[in-house]
Amino acid sequence: MDEITVSTADPIGTISPLLYGHFIEHLGRCIYGGLWVGDDEDVDTVGGGLREDTVALLREVSPPVLRWPGGCFADTYHWEDGVGPREQRPRRPNHFWNQGRESVPEESNAFGTEEYMRLCRLLDAEPFLTVNVGTGSREEALNWVEYCNADTDTVYGRERASNGRERPHGVTFWEFGNEPWGCGGRFDSAGYAAEYRTYAHFVDAYRATDFMDESSDLELVASGHSDPDWTGAFVDALDHHRLVDHVSIHRFIGGVECGSDADFDREEYYRLFSQVAELANDVDRTAATVENRGSMADVGIVLSEWGIWHPLAKHHNSLEQENTVRDALAAASVLNELNERADVVTMANLAQAVNVLQCLVQTDERTAWPTPTFRVFELYEAHRGNVALRTRVETDVREIPDGPDVPLVAASSSRGDGLTYVTVVNRSYGDERAVRIDAPSGSISRASVEVLFADQPPDVHSSPGTRGTFAPAGRPVDPESGVATVELPASSVVGVTLRP
Ligand code: AHR
């Protein structure tokens, strides 16, 4: 039998709710068609053009933060195109992606800052804006901050009011550029440091002005690389560490060695979990790189894009792929790794919330439905704001040639409101396992268990017909002498609440 030991000694830190964040981009059917339909009569809308069904589903997972507008798109986006009367907004090429139902590489600008802020308010999510560094200007960035956060004594605060919003939007999180080493402008580390320094310098100055809404804190995010050498060289060249509150990286997993989205053999199945360990290593190496620069010891790591990117999700199909139970097991494995790093990771954003890549919600012309990954985010909500506890797992290991081995069972745990919450992933292909969960004495007399994917094979994927298929099922557990023994179906995710 496998063994999980939860320790209350030396807790890791508070799990920021922002670790369970999301991301939307002007890409494919993520926004146009998936979230925004304007006055399309086929589906009901809220907020003046947002799909009611998609918004209702997203509300069920309470996204704590929603990054926008990109992605690669962000470094060609001029925010002023997307405010004011919609019929007067310019149509522009989308330099990176096809989008919308017609799959055209065009940006109508129908969904802009006000529409995004309305979405955030409907979801009760923090906004997180990516500023255009690649083709934008410092002035444009400053004006966007003023538009979002300043009072109506300012030019852009007044413009916001004339667009219907008197009160500032209060945007805290600002990331400067997206993948500056790639689609964001092919900067080298020193080149991006020079850009970042001046953008952040001027935006930072806003912290001291009276025009800013008092509740608008600013937190500045520098865009790094999962290669710590690039990020380290950026940090060294920047030499103004006070201007950085967080450093972001992106990390996707998947690839031909993991097979296709819903078609993989056993070897390929396990390779995806081996890559989860590589993702976690990248976070650790970035954290170590940043920590080693003494004056940046307090800087947080933001995983501003993560998820599974299967080989067939390509430009021509707007990065759409089937979303399977295997993907959901990998998401649960990543969230366990993030909980374990709650002391250094300040935010993470799954790519992308709707229709694109490892999404939570998929849509067609008339309906919206949740993916297996949606269910994982629902199950893991109980960790948010808790204190992450050290969790030791003793289990068998699947050896992976040329990659980290895969422990068959992975877990994380946290404590809040007197309860201990343990999330366990059984990654064993086709085999049930049982686990003893041993927590500090006196902390278990009752337990409840919720199980995901008990009867679904790992390659089953969501579709309009699977709306209720992946919902959790409760199971009875009777702890004995402070130990809970839990059955783990093959390829499942289990949430265990331990009560004193
Ligand atoms: O999420 C899709 C794309 O992946 C984003 O536009 C880019 O930032 C990343 O490489």
Side-chain angles (χ1 to χ4, degrees):
M1 187 177 308
D2 296 322
E3 180 107 22
I4 294 176
T5 310
V6 175
S7 162
T8 47
D10 189 24
I12 298 166
T14 300
I15 299 175
S16 167
L18 303 181
L19 295 199
Y20 294 85
H22 298 285
F23 165 48
I24 57 170
E25 180 170 11
H26 293 238
L27 190 174
R29 298 186 307 123
C30 180
I31 292 178
Y32 295 111
L35 270 163
W36 176 263
V37 288
D39 48 19
D40 182 322
E41 286 170 4
D42 283 346
V43 284
D44 293 336
T45 56
V46 283
L50 294 158
R51 278 184 78 138
E52 192 175 44
D53 50 5
T54 305
V55 169
L57 277 170
L58 289 176
R59 277 177 65 85
E60 287 181 32
V61 291
S62 323
V65 60
L66 194 62
R67 177 175 182 255
W68 176 77
C72 297
F73 176 76
D75 280 294
T76 55
Y77 181 60
H78 300 284
W79 70 270
E80 288 190 71
D81 289 347
V83 292
R86 217 168 280 128
E87 61 286 358
Q88 291 170 22
R89 298 184 192 173
R91 302 182 89 81
R92 304 251 188 226
N94 183 323
H95 293 273
F96 289 99
W97 312 111
N98 288 325
Q99 55 180 1
R101 290 178 181 175
E102 285 82 34
S103 274
V104 287
E106 185 195 67
E107 174 53 55
S108 68
N109 282 303
F111 186 92
T113 302
E114 291 305 325
E115 290 76 15
Y116 164 71
M117 294 297 173
R118 277 211 295 280
L119 175 62
C120 287
R121 282 196 294 277
L122 282 166
L123 300 177
D124 201 16
E126 283 273 348
F128 173 20
L129 294 178
T130 314
V131 170
N132 178 349
V133 169
T135 65
S137 70
R138 292 154 184 75
E139 188 183 10
E140 201 179 346
L142 277 179
N143 294 346
W144 206 9
V145 178
E146 184 177 308
Y147 181 93
C148 292
N149 289 2
D151 61 35
T152 49
D153 288 337
T154 61
V155 170
Y156 286 96
R158 271 196 298 282
E159 184 173 336
R160 182 190 64 241
S162 74
N163 289 332
R165 175 78 183 176
E166 180 90 14
R167 277 182 38 217
H169 292 302
V171 179
T172 300
F173 297 100
W174 297 83
E175 185 177 29
F176 295 92
N178 173 79
E179 299 185 358
W181 39 267
C183 66
R186 304 210 181 283
F187 292 100
D188 60 20
S189 307
Y192 176 61
E195 293 290 327
Y196 181 88
R197 194 184 305 118
T198 47
Y199 271 78
H201 164 77
F202 289 113
V203 170
D204 175 62
Y206 259 126
R207 297 193 217 237
T209 71
D210 291 341
F211 291 116
M212 295 297 278
D213 176 57
E214 276 177 16
S215 60
S216 302
D217 290 337
L218 291 176
E219 296 197 25
L220 311 186
V221 184
S223 196
H225 194 299
S226 56
D227 171 359
D229 290 341
W230 195 97
T231 305
F234 157 74
V235 167
D236 291 339
L238 179 66
D239 199 27
H240 273 69
H241 298 163
R242 198 188 57 75
L243 293 174
V244 186
D245 298 301
H246 310 262
V247 170
S248 70
I249 61 168
H250 293 174
R251 186 60 158 89
F252 289 94
I253 59 175
V256 283
E257 64 275 30
C258 304
S260 191
D261 51 359
D263 183 13
F264 44 85
D265 62 25
R266 197 171 277 248
E267 192 63 40
E268 292 163 340
Y269 166 89
Y270 281 112
R271 278 186 182 276
L272 191 64
F273 303 111
S274 177
Q275 291 192 5
V276 170
E278 289 173 357
L279 176 154
N281 285 341
D282 283 349
V283 171
D284 291 342
R285 292 185 317 154
T286 306
T289 301
V290 168
E291 263 169 44
N292 285 341
R293 276 69 182 181
S295 57
M296 287 191 81
D298 289 342
V299 165
I301 306 302
V302 169
L303 194 54
S304 62
E305 285 183 45
W306 71 270
I308 297 158
W309 190 325
H310 291 295
L312 56 66
K314 294 220 191 302
H315 197 271
H316 70 85
N317 63 3
S318 300
L319 309 190
E320 292 199 24
Q321 58 193 18
E322 301 296 9
N323 278 252
T324 63
V325 163
R326 174 178 70 155
D327 297 337
L329 303 182
S333 304
V334 171
L335 294 176
N336 281 340
E337 299 285 0
L338 296 179
N339 287 343
E340 293 272 313
R341 289 160 179 77
D343 51 341
V344 292
V345 183
T346 41
M347 190 198 295
N349 310 80
L350 181 72
Q352 300 191 1
V354 183
N355 286 329
V356 170
L357 295 173
Q358 191 173 8
C359 49
L360 297 176
V361 175
Q362 292 172 304
T363 67
D364 61 17
E365 305 281 307
R366 289 175 185 277
T367 56
W369 58 93
T371 62
T373 296
F374 174 101
R375 298 296 176 192
V376 167
F377 273 79
E378 214 175 26
L379 191 77
Y380 276 60
E381 236 186 286
H383 280 302
R384 295 189 195 177
N386 280 1
V387 173
L389 302 176
R390 306 223 175 250
T391 313
R392 204 181 69 233
V393 183
E394 283 167 49
T395 183
D396 296 331
V397 164
R398 169 84 181 198
E399 286 179 12
I400 304 292
D402 314 322
D405 292 341
V406 176
L408 295 183
V409 169
S412 69
S413 63
S414 67
R415 176 168 275 188
D417 292 332
L419 305 179
T420 304
Y421 191 58
V422 188
T423 42
V424 189
V425 194
N426 178 10
R427 308 182 292 194
S428 179
Y429 192 108
D431 292 322
E432 283 181 14
R433 300 187 75 85
V435 67
R436 276 167 51 94
I437 304 181
D438 202 348
S441 62
S443 70
I444 314 182
S445 61
R446 286 171 301 141
S448 52
V449 170
E450 294 229 272
V451 181
L452 290 177
F453 319 129
D455 302 315
Q456 282 103 32
D459 59 353
V460 67
H461 62 82
S462 44
S463 67
T466 61
R467 221 171 191 288
T469 308
F470 304 109
R475 288 226 174 149
V477 191
D478 280 325
E480 272 178 35
S481 316
V483 174
T485 302
V486 179
E487 303 295 327
L488 309 173
S491 298
S492 66
V493 184
V494 176
V496 186
T497 306
L498 306 172
R499 297 162 208 276

